[in-house]
Amino acid sequence: MMAFYRDERAARRLPALLPVKSQDVDEGYRLVGPGGRLTAVVVHVQWVDNHPAGPDTHVVVSLEDGSDIEFPFGVPLTAVWHAERRPLDPADVAAAAPASWGRPL
C-alpha cells in the first residue's frame, strides 16, 4: 500500500462516510461506487485542462488497481478514508451509492 502524506488523526475526525464533489476527491480515500461497493484507494487526482468541454470541467481519478475514472465537476460522491477503522453500516454505504458515476478510461 502507498504512503499518503495526510494527517491520519485529522482524517479520523471527519465522518466515516464523507460527502465530496468529484473535483474535491482526495488521495488516500476510497469512493463508494455503484451498488455500494468501495473502490480501490485513490492514488492520484488530475483536473483535465484540455477537455473538449473546457478547462476545469472534468477530473480523472486514478485508483490503486490501475483504473482511471473521469468525472464531470459537481458529481456528488462519498469518500471513506483507506484506513477507516470505524465500522461502516452496510445500509449507510448502500444509501451513499452515487446516482451517477463517471466514465472509465
Side-chain angles (χ1 to χ4, degrees):
M1 166 121 354
M2 294 184 64
F4 295 100
Y5 300 98
R6 181 175 194 79
D7 182 355
E8 294 270 345
R9 286 177 283 180
R12 284 191 217 111
R13 284 193 293 267
L14 296 171
L17 293 171
L18 183 65
V20 295
K21 296 287 185 183
S22 54
Q23 68 270 24
D24 298 324
V25 169
D26 204 358
E27 297 164 350
Y29 285 86
R30 299 173 78 185
L31 299 175
V32 177
R37 292 187 326 262
L38 293 177
T39 66
V41 178
V42 174
V43 294
H44 187 71
V45 180
Q46 175 74 42
W47 286 21
V48 181
D49 290 333
N50 59 352
H51 195 275
D56 298 338
T57 60
H58 286 71
V59 63
V60 173
V61 176
S62 299
L63 304 175
E64 191 174 42
D65 64 4
S67 62
D68 296 321
I69 305 167
E70 179 183 314
F71 292 98
F73 275 21
V75 174
L77 299 169
T78 303
V80 177
W81 182 242
H82 78 279
E84 181 60 58
R85 291 192 174 105
R86 292 172 282 186
L88 299 174
D89 182 358
D92 291 342
V93 175
S100 62
W101 191 247
R103 178 177 69 91
L105 296 179

